[in-house]
Amino acid sequence: MAETWWLGSLRLSFFTCLLNLSFAISPHLTFQKENMEVEIISTKFIKPSSPTPNHLQNYKLGFFDQTTDETHLPLVLFYPPTNNINFSAHEEQLEQSLSRILTHVYPISGRFTEDNSISCKDQGVKFIKAKVNSKLNEFLEKAHKDVNLSLLCWPQDSWNVDASNLYAMPIVIIQITEFECGGLALSLSLVHIAMDGYSIFTVINEWSKVCRLEIPVEKIDFMSFNLADVFPTRDLSKLLLPRVPPLDRVESKLVAKRLYINEDSISRLRKEVGGDLCFKPSRVEMIMALLWRALIRASEKKHGYLRRSLMNIPINLRTRLISLPQVEKSFGNLGVDAPIKFIPGENKMDLHEFVTLIHDTVKETIITCDKTSPEDIVFAVSNIYNESFLAQDWGGSDEVDRYVSSSLCKFPIQEADFGWGKPCLMHFGSRHGQVCWLYDAECGNGICVQVDLKEDNMHLFECDNDIKDFFQF
């Protein structure tokens, strides 16, 4: 299996992992935090409702899968109890609808092989059922103050994933955790190399429709599986610079904070940005600029001087590649990270300067990647990475602070109603890097931000005047 060596760590061979590691969770295993205890009740594997045909049993990965980080990405959705819903009565419906979805999205039920592909022989998605000795409203009251409590409801297998065992694990792990009051946490963890945010959010949203509306398998058809045909795997050593360690070394514990900015504060923010720009900035651009400036200020306080900063913003390319309409609904990874560079002395600290820098770099990245041929797109993406994340003076420098800022706004994830309503709280990420996750507030008014930072950076960040002025914790 080709290495995504420039972003990930060195790993053991696939077959060494397979022989030496076991991931079965024993029933009734428990995990504790803050006087709350999660008990694993059962573990099973959900397989497609119809066998995957022979001609589809070898799903090939593509170039964009190769250049994706080697992580397991968890997502947790919390659902409040409703008077007419009893999860035990709907458990079978949930599992059967998942089985029907897997017949269409067959790669996520498979396993990685050593030749840049997924063996799709219906090995199954790991499905864990658990319960917690807490009522959801009590849990949410604490979780809104300390979002790290959401880790209790992650699929427990994903806690200890690293490059040595990633490829021996199921591609997707799902855990349903039931609270004492009947509320639920639905958590899903996926291997990022197999799919990106667009893919998994689409799968979850469609799964919820199939479950709620009892859609039959023959009417499920919402993604295509053609990315490896359009963008086949490449010899990365001929396209990308070698990874220069240390690459974004995390030296201290990562913690998360949940921030909220309402529409009134967004309006105030727009006034502060000013009207001198030649474009109308989006809410996401303004909030990202505010967050990034606060992170740069926090770094200045920590180190005693203003440092260079590199923020990458993931961009979904599906609707951006005008010459390739066939990839608009493709499963897998199809994105590029826009590298936003802050250079002290060259860039000013005014807020509108950050907004402009983000807007212009994202726009330039999209234009650079919108080529006529897939070959030209691959070279464009490679050049972007070689000049930023893989460059000795940027991605390979300890004198550069690196962050990710990802917008999940307008994704359909908040519409994921399985028949017991829409989620009332969400939690993202794998704590592998310093990330700002932006998403539409559950109340429909404003934007929430989950900020994952090194613990010492978080203390400085949350004391920033802009953060205290515009956001609620």
Side-chain angles (χ1 to χ4, degrees):
M1 179 174 290
E3 298 280 351
T4 57
W5 42 267
W6 63 282
L7 277 173
S9 305
L10 293 176
R11 63 174 182 267
L12 300 177
S13 73
F14 171 79
F15 289 107
T16 302
C17 295
L18 194 60
L19 289 171
N20 294 337
L21 297 169
S22 172
F23 298 96
I25 294 182
S26 301
H28 307 295
L29 190 62
T30 59
F31 302 87
Q32 293 181 322
K33 185 178 177 68
E34 294 287 330
N35 298 319
M36 287 181 282
E37 182 177 273
V38 174
E39 180 181 359
I40 304 299
I41 302 301
S42 64
T43 298
K44 64 177 69 174
F45 288 88
I46 306 296
K47 300 183 179 183
S49 59
S50 300
T52 300
N54 290 338
H55 70 281
L56 297 178
Q57 289 186 1
N58 185 41
Y59 173 82
K60 292 188 178 297
L61 301 176
F63 168 76
F64 285 93
D65 301 315
Q66 284 181 289
T67 57
T68 299
D69 205 358
E70 292 179 325
T71 57
H72 232 271
L73 293 180
L75 162 69
V76 188
L77 304 176
F78 293 91
Y79 291 88
T82 57
N83 294 330
N84 60 339
I85 293 296
N86 180 283
F87 172 68
S88 298
H90 290 262
E91 182 179 358
E92 183 177 356
Q93 183 178 343
L94 186 68
E95 294 180 13
Q96 288 179 353
S97 61
L98 174 59
S99 182
R100 295 198 296 276
I101 281 287
L102 293 178
T103 299
H104 175 55
V105 195
Y106 58 93
I108 67 176
S109 187
R111 298 294 183 271
F112 285 109
T113 69
E114 61 176 351
D115 62 348
N116 282 318
S117 66
I118 296 175
S119 171
C120 303
K121 297 183 178 180
D122 304 334
Q123 294 91 331
V125 165
K126 193 163 191 176
F127 191 88
I128 303 166
K129 184 179 178 182
K131 65 179 181 179
V132 60
N133 63 337
S134 172
K135 294 181 179 180
L136 182 60
N137 60 338
E138 296 172 352
F139 175 86
L140 292 177
E141 185 177 349
K142 296 178 181 179
H144 278 292
K145 298 176 182 177
D146 180 9
V147 72
N148 297 286
L149 289 176
S150 300
L151 301 181
L152 264 177
C153 298
W154 276 12
Q156 306 301 331
D157 285 18
S158 67
W159 282 19
N160 298 314
V161 175
D162 58 28
S164 69
N165 60 29
L166 181 69
Y167 288 84
M169 296 188 68
I171 293 173
V172 171
I173 306 170
I174 295 172
Q175 181 171 315
I176 302 291
T177 305
E178 189 170 9
F179 289 79
E180 289 180 343
C181 59
L184 295 174
L186 187 154
S187 57
L188 186 148
S189 191
L190 60 117
V191 180
H192 197 357
I193 293 172
M195 70 197 92
D196 57 14
Y198 167 85
S199 297
I200 195 56
F201 291 159
T202 301
V203 168
I204 293 173
N205 191 46
E206 294 297 327
W207 175 23
S208 72
K209 292 179 185 177
V210 171
C211 183
R212 184 180 74 254
L213 304 176
E214 299 186 7
I215 298 173
V217 66
E218 61 270 15
K219 293 187 177 181
I220 302 173
D221 183 15
F222 57 89
M223 301 197 89
S224 57
F225 301 86
N226 57 353
L227 283 183
D229 297 328
V230 181
F231 299 103
T233 54
R234 308 299 176 103
D235 182 353
L236 297 186
S237 66
K238 296 180 179 179
L239 288 172
L240 298 171
L241 294 173
R243 183 175 64 90
V244 183
L247 189 61
D248 200 25
R249 179 191 299 165
V250 176
E251 300 163 339
S252 61
K253 177 183 175 183
L254 284 169
V255 296
K257 292 281 186 180
R258 184 177 183 272
L259 313 179
Y260 167 66
I261 180 169
N262 60 32
E263 293 296 342
D264 290 340
S265 294
I266 293 174
S267 297
R268 284 197 297 115
L269 178 58
R270 188 173 296 280
K271 291 179 181 178
E272 180 159 328
V273 169
D276 295 334
L277 300 176
C278 61
F279 62 94
K280 182 181 179 180
S282 68
R283 300 187 307 165
V284 167
E285 287 173 332
M286 294 188 301
I287 294 170
M288 283 185 175
L290 193 70
L291 294 167
W292 192 23
R293 187 172 71 168
L295 289 167
I296 291 172
R297 286 172 173 170
S299 173
E300 183 180 19
K301 289 182 180 179
K302 177 179 177 179
H303 296 280
Y305 61 96
L306 205 57
R307 287 161 54 94
R308 286 182 299 151
S309 185
L310 177 63
M311 183 175 72
N312 58 304
I313 299 179
I315 301 171
N316 178 15
L317 289 177
R318 286 171 177 81
T319 58
R320 313 283 189 175
L321 303 178
I322 300 174
S323 63
L324 298 173
Q326 68 268 35
V327 302
E328 185 175 348
K329 294 183 179 181
S330 291
F331 172 88
N333 287 283
L334 185 54
V336 63
D337 289 345
I340 323 294
K341 299 176 180 177
F342 172 82
I343 304 173
E346 183 174 319
N347 301 114
K348 298 179 180 179
M349 290 292 289
D350 298 324
L351 189 58
H352 71 270
E353 295 279 350
F354 283 92
V355 172
T356 301
L357 187 58
I358 290 171
H359 177 87
D360 290 350
T361 306
V362 169
K363 183 178 180 180
E364 179 184 345
T365 301
I366 293 170
I367 292 173
T368 299
C369 293
D370 186 17
K371 304 297 184 183
T372 303
S373 74
E375 190 75 16
D376 290 340
I377 294 169
V378 167
F379 281 117
V381 171
S382 299
N383 287 337
I384 289 171
Y385 290 161
N386 286 336
E387 294 172 2
S388 55
F389 312 118
L390 299 179
Q392 177 73 42
D393 57 341
W394 282 100
S397 174
D398 279 334
E399 292 298 311
V400 176
D401 298 312
R402 287 192 53 179
Y403 308 100
V404 177
S405 191
S406 181
S407 173
L408 309 177
C409 297
K410 298 184 179 180
F411 272 93
I413 191 62
Q414 290 193 345
E415 303 302 315
D417 180 359
F418 290 84
W420 50 75
K422 297 179 181 180
C424 61
L425 179 68
M426 295 182 288
H427 184 74
F428 308 93
S430 59
R431 302 292 199 276
H432 282 87
Q434 300 193 100
V435 185
C436 296
W437 308 85
L438 282 69
Y439 60 98
D440 295 311
E442 294 88 353
C443 63
N445 175 28
I447 290 178
C448 291
V449 184
Q450 179 185 309
V451 183
D452 299 348
L453 291 177
K454 298 176 186 178
E455 195 166 23
D456 52 347
N457 291 346
M458 183 67 81
H459 294 313
L460 296 170
F461 170 79
E462 60 188 353
C463 292
D464 183 86
N465 289 333
D466 283 344
I467 300 302
K468 292 189 293 184
D469 184 28
F470 286 97
F471 291 95
Q472 301 172 26
F473 286 84

